[in-house]
Amino acid sequence: MEGFSGLNDIGAVVEADRAHVWHHLSQHKQYETIDPRVIVEGKGMRVWDAKGREHLDAVSGGVWTVNVGYGRESIANAVRDQLIKMNYFAGAAGSIPGSVFAKRLIEKMPGLSRVYYSNSGSEANEKVYKMVRQISHRHHGGKKWKILYRERDYHGTTIAALASGGQKQRNAQYGPFPDGFVEVPHCLEYRAQWDVENYGMRAADAIEEVILHEGADTIGCLVLEPVTAGGGVIVPPAGYWERVQEICRKYDILLHIDEVVCGVGRTGVWFGYQHYGVKPDFVTMAKGVASGYAAISCTVTTEAVFDLFKDDASDPMSYFRDISTFGGCTAGPAAALENMRIIEDEGLLANTLAMGDRLVGNLSALMDKHKVIGEVRGKGLFCGAELVADRGTREPADEKKVQAVVADCMAQGVIIGATNRSVPGFNNTLCLSPALIATADDIDQITGAIDAALGRVFG
Ligand SMILES: Cc1ncc(COP(=O)(O)O)c(C=O)c1O
């Protein structure tokens, strides 16, 4: 390990981190008095920090990513073997793992047929926005260029991805944003915007109202998370998705489903949209595709969309003139293939459904004891508990107290998450997304820690 002498001196690693690393999503003033957290090792569901402390990770690497758990030698070996054979060539050419993974992936996604590789969720979504804009130019005479997105959803961190994001605190101070992104209302019934019986239908009808207001001939695409993640773990109400599909068909609007969080098993099926029988035109995915063992994202679409980009080979501007340099890295699909094998061979989809039920069940049971839990929502191993100051009025719990619950769990050796700098006034939902390998004991340890933390913070 020459050249990495800090490895044997963890104190030096922490100091180098403090001096030179700019952490994501972090206010650094605190690190003048406390040590930045450095995670040094992981195995299964557990990680160890620089002080040697063990933690049960209930958020799969912080941001719902490490779906098959830490320390998977078979993925490391698959990546190593592939890198020695052929590490990189620009994506204008194919690769062995790229083509094999695309075939396996498409087998799980009936109706879709083409995979475009890049290396982050934001980028995968931007590919769709570029495709929609190019389809508008080439096939709609410049019409159908706007992209609808939903309040509370998030689609990434780049400027155009933020423009399609419905979380005001994430976007604040980063504008101005590009034109043509239009918001539709969220569908969280707990925070109902209409007093009706069939809330799912009503929330979807609100999308139609926006379409009619903007003019259907201006709208090219609607982007939605199947289950909203950072905006509050929102499981759409019954009837919502069916109506969304109907509206998209009625107005000839392409449906883009952002599976960056839900994709590849998180909700107990391969893709979140498959719970609802929806037929999307675009599906994007990233985090769980290779469980963080390599960077990879995919923009998947139909043959009908693909055909729009090869209809006129004599026109030098007719094809998708886009590249992602690192979309040509072979480590991503090599890791993704092995990741998919593990999910299949270890029966992790079934485990996710069973353990997801246990997680929601345990948290729901805590509602008797802790009045601060207003609602528990979830799909598979993707779960949120919204905390409220008053169950009657549903006034959100104080954000500082929500963060105190997260900190208390951390002190108990359990890493949980909470919505953070997302929707102003509503950063009050605890977020849980343990790896798909979680056992009943792991789930009970997670909810046990939350029980104790809620007791200490809220009394
Ligand atoms: C639903 C969703 N889409 C897109 C992204 C962006 O992914 P990335 O951070 O890989 O760019 C995220 C990240 O959290 C996400 O939650």
Side-chain angles (χ1 to χ4, degrees), residues 64 120-123 125 154-157 225 229 258 260-261 286-287:
W64 22 58
S120 73
S122 309
E123 204 188 352
N125 288 331
Y154 176 74
H155 301 295
T157 187
E225 291 182 64
D258 176 344
V260 168
V261 172
K287 298 172 186 275

Side-chain angles (χ1 to χ4, degrees), residues 12 14 31 62 75 111 143 186 240 282 296 306 317-318 331 340 346 363 395 405 430 442:
V14 172
Y31 301 135
I75 303 184
K143 293 186 171 177
H186 70 72
Y240 182 79
F282 297 103
I296 178 172
F306 179 69
M317 300 292 278
S318 75
M340 187 175 263
E346 296 183 10
L363 287 170
E395 180 193 336
V405 172
L430 301 179
D442 294 328

